[in-house]
Amino acid sequence: METDKGYPRLFSGTLTRDDSRSCRRLKFFVPPGAREVMVKLSYNPRHEEEGKPLGVQEFRERWDREIARYREKAERAGDPTLLAYYERFVDEAIARIQPLSNLLNLAVFDSAGAFRGRWDSPQHFAEWASIGEVEATRGFVAGAIRPGEWTVILECHAVVTDACTYELEVQCVVSGGSWYRGELHAHTNHSDGTLSPDELVAAAAEAGLDFIAVTDHNTVSALSMLDALGRTCRTTPQASNGRPLVIPGMELTTFYGHAVAIGVSGFVPWHDASKDGGLSWQAAEVHRQGGILSIAHPFSIGYPVCAGCEWEYENTDLSVVDLMEVWSGPWSSRIIWNVLALRWWDEMLCRGHRVTGVAARDVHKREELFRRETADTYVWARSLSQAGIMEGLKAGRVFMSSGPVLDFSLRTGGCETRYLPGDHVQARRGDSLVFAVKLHPEGKCGANGLSIRDLSVRIVEGTRERGVRSLCTMPLDGGGYADFGDVVKGEAWYRCEVIGSSKRYLPGPNLVAASNPIYIELTPSVLPCQG
């Protein structure tokens, strides 16, 4: 956990009586990865100088306009007794209401314009108020902390002194995190796998995985055996003797398609699932258990060769789908499955469905964890825990790779903030975009044995209006780096592909790695780098 380098940010100013009953809008920038926004307001003086109350005549002269405005209401009533009573009331109240108070409050709105709470000076004067993802200070609203330009409206209800100085301090707390490498689809001998639960976890450890989801066909019986093996919350795999984090799950192998439920320990009924139902009920049950739903190998060969392996739910409500297996098994040998899945995923994204693309080996044997051209799913998470990995998956902070670690980022408008896959970036038409790609380790691709000179990078853009297109294809330099500049033309998403030398007899790209998208959302406002 660290405070963003642009914070704390201090806004200050001086108000006069003329600023009463007005608002000031103060803008600040919340960086990607922030998990908490904090605000603190103080002003001075809070009251007129105590010990020197104004006399009746002096008070009437200073506030004559306000007293006269209310007198008009009493006069309109046409009752001389009421008017006389009002004049006596003013004289008698002057001593009681002094000293008069300055009154400043504030309201907070996030980058989507959503109301995130209100600071009331008697409640929080000169104290930090927090807006978090799960919890918030009284008067504020917890929820997702969206990056981009946030707004504080400083409400100047009353300034009764000649001058009133204010200080508003804003702080953003950014969570630390890391990329974790894992497998999201694996079977034990509790279904049709060849490995026991213990053997599967040991093989995953040998493969260097940080996490593995155990997703047997239509059963959760292996999960009780795995409780002692790895289903714990920790920051490193070494904290559990090198074993990877084990995430519980189940593969729903229905008659018309397979779906992987990740993060569930209870059985998900599927026997009554109809083709017309699109697994909507099953998706709701997975979400009720706190899990996420992934479409498995959607273009696998289906009935009668592999009954149910092909996704035939043509009316699927994609709003209930969290993930989809875009890269199934070895890229080349499953090229038809994978190219079709990649194109369908692009279509989903262009229609506005934020489905996270993942890789999956569908492990049944030990050797499948080590086969060339199979990809790991890398997830950016705050910790190596079930909650952390699932949060990263749902947010789309994911890339797939058969070897190199892919660092794909975006900067906008000259700002230094780096946006990563899954981020939603607010920008204006004409703002500059700079895409940067870096492959690690330097000089080689890793498991596939390809060197940097064998690889190129492609930036893919998608929009509702134009569909999908390749913005550019460019080589990497000797250090595995490439960058590309563009401008914002409208709302769009961008993802990165790392491709190897083409195999002429195969369709589609020879994919080595691919990121999830970074999303551009249009805003009419000016977006400063730091507020």
Side-chain angles (χ1 to χ4, degrees):
M1 180 176 65
E2 60 182 4
T3 301
D4 183 77
K5 64 183 180 181
Y7 290 91
R9 178 164 175 78
L10 182 67
F11 299 89
S12 61
T14 300
L15 305 171
T16 68
R17 290 189 177 92
D18 291 339
D19 293 305
S20 289
R21 298 190 289 187
S22 69
C23 293
R24 291 192 175 190
R25 284 169 169 77
L26 308 174
K27 310 287 187 178
F28 63 96
F29 189 84
V30 173
R35 68 171 181 81
E36 183 181 16
V37 173
M38 298 184 294
V39 295
K40 180 169 69 174
L41 177 65
S42 61
Y43 51 90
N44 185 56
R46 296 186 72 178
H47 313 283
E48 290 180 308
E49 187 175 353
E50 297 187 40
K52 295 182 180 179
L54 299 177
V56 171
Q57 187 58 36
E58 189 178 9
F59 186 94
R60 280 182 171 272
E61 290 174 356
R62 175 172 291 184
W63 300 102
D64 177 67
R65 184 177 58 183
E66 287 72 19
I67 294 171
R69 187 183 64 250
Y70 201 90
R71 183 187 296 118
E72 290 177 3
K73 297 178 180 180
E75 289 174 342
R76 286 199 298 271
D79 185 342
T81 305
L82 180 64
L83 185 59
Y85 182 87
Y86 171 68
E87 297 296 346
R88 290 196 304 272
F89 168 79
V90 171
D91 288 345
E92 294 170 0
I94 285 173
R96 295 196 303 268
I97 63 177
Q98 292 190 78
L100 296 178
S101 298
N102 292 319
L103 179 59
L104 307 183
N105 291 320
L106 63 81
V108 180
F109 298 83
D110 67 18
S111 59
F115 174 73
R116 299 307 297 266
R118 187 171 184 273
W119 182 98
D120 211 320
S121 55
Q123 300 290 334
H124 306 301
F125 188 87
E127 296 179 356
W128 285 107
S130 169
I131 305 170
E133 295 175 318
V134 178
E135 296 180 338
T137 301
R138 182 178 64 253
F140 292 84
V141 181
I145 305 300
R146 294 172 61 95
E149 184 188 61
W150 285 44
T151 302
V152 167
I153 298 181
L154 182 65
E155 304 169 355
C156 308
H157 291 272
V159 179
V160 297
T161 55
D162 292 334
C164 175
T165 60
Y166 69 87
E167 287 191 349
L168 169 66
E169 196 170 355
V170 178
Q171 190 151 291
C172 292
V173 178
V174 180
S175 297
S178 182
W179 287 108
Y180 295 104
R181 181 167 69 98
E183 172 59 51
L184 293 172
H185 187 163
H187 301 280
T188 74
N189 58 8
H190 282 245
S191 56
D192 61 348
T194 61
L195 302 174
S196 69
D198 193 20
E199 290 170 336
L200 175 64
V201 174
E206 185 181 349
L209 298 184
D210 297 312
F211 64 90
I212 186 167
V214 176
T215 57
D216 278 313
H217 295 289
N218 300 327
T219 182
V220 292
S221 59
L223 301 181
S224 59
M225 300 182 63
L226 289 163
D227 281 331
L229 299 178
R231 286 173 60 189
T232 57
C233 244
R234 55 186 183 275
T235 56
T236 65
Q238 288 70 30
S240 187
N241 299 319
R243 288 185 179 273
L245 171 75
V246 177
I247 300 176
M250 168 182 153
E251 184 177 11
L252 286 69
T253 52
T254 79
F255 299 139
Y256 303 103
H258 292 186
V260 177
I262 300 169
V264 301
S265 298
F267 178 77
V268 180
W270 66 271
H271 293 92
D272 294 330
S274 66
K275 188 175 181 180
D276 293 338
L279 291 189
S280 292
W281 185 91
Q282 286 72 22
E285 173 60 19
V286 170
H287 294 149
R288 187 193 68 78
Q289 291 192 35
I292 52 183
L293 188 78
S294 176
I295 295 177
H297 44 70
F299 293 96
S300 172
I301 300 299
Y303 183 87
V305 176
C306 181
C309 291
E310 179 186 6
W311 190 262
E312 298 183 60
Y313 293 108
E314 296 179 357
N315 62 336
T316 303
D317 178 5
L318 294 176
S319 68
V320 304
V321 175
D322 303 293
L323 319 176
M324 187 178 78
E325 293 178 7
V326 173
W327 188 332
S328 299
W331 180 262
S332 295
S333 64
R334 302 285 176 83
I335 192 69
I336 296 177
W337 301 11
N338 292 330
V339 169
L340 289 173
L342 190 66
R343 290 176 179 173
W344 189 31
W345 183 41
D346 283 341
E347 291 173 5
M348 290 180 185
L349 296 172
C350 287
R351 295 201 302 269
H353 300 292
R354 301 302 186 236
V355 176
T356 300
V358 298
R361 293 178 175 85
D362 196 357
V363 176
H364 288 77
K365 304 175 184 178
R366 177 189 174 281
E367 55 266 30
E368 290 170 340
L369 285 168
F370 303 90
R371 188 172 293 171
R372 282 193 174 191
E373 293 195 349
T374 59
D376 297 307
T377 297
Y378 288 76
V379 181
W380 178 269
R382 298 174 185 175
S383 64
L384 185 53
S385 63
Q386 180 176 322
I389 296 298
M390 291 180 62
E391 177 188 41
L393 287 168
K394 286 189 285 189
R397 286 187 169 257
V398 171
F399 71 86
M400 305 159 272
S401 177
S402 62
V405 174
L406 171 60
D407 184 345
F408 172 57
S409 63
L410 168 67
R411 288 186 171 94
T412 66
C415 295
E416 290 303 310
T417 302
R418 294 175 72 245
Y419 295 95
L420 300 178
D423 282 337
H424 293 246
V425 183
Q426 292 202 323
R428 301 165 303 168
R429 292 184 192 274
D431 278 354
S432 63
L433 300 175
V434 178
F435 302 93
V437 180
K438 180 75 169 74
L439 294 190
H440 307 274
E442 294 185 356
K444 62 180 181 179
C445 175
N448 285 324
L450 298 175
S451 67
I452 292 296
R453 65 177 177 272
D454 298 317
L455 304 177
S456 59
V457 170
R458 178 162 62 191
I459 306 298
V460 179
E461 177 197 58
T463 68
R464 284 182 180 269
E465 297 78 15
R466 297 187 300 272
V468 180
R469 63 173 181 150
S470 174
L471 275 188
C472 70
T473 301
M474 52 192 171
L476 294 149
D477 67 16
Y481 179 81
D483 59 24
F484 173 75
D486 198 17
V487 296
V488 176
K489 304 175 190 66
E491 297 204 339
W493 55 261
Y494 301 90
R495 60 177 182 81
C496 173
E497 295 178 352
V498 179
I499 52 181
S501 303
S502 296
K503 300 181 179 180
R504 294 182 180 178
Y505 60 93
L506 292 177
N510 181 19
L511 206 62
V512 173
S515 77
N516 268 261
I518 301 172
Y519 301 95
I520 296 290
E521 299 173 348
L522 287 181
T523 175
S525 358
V526 175
L527 291 176
C529 293
Q530 291 182 3

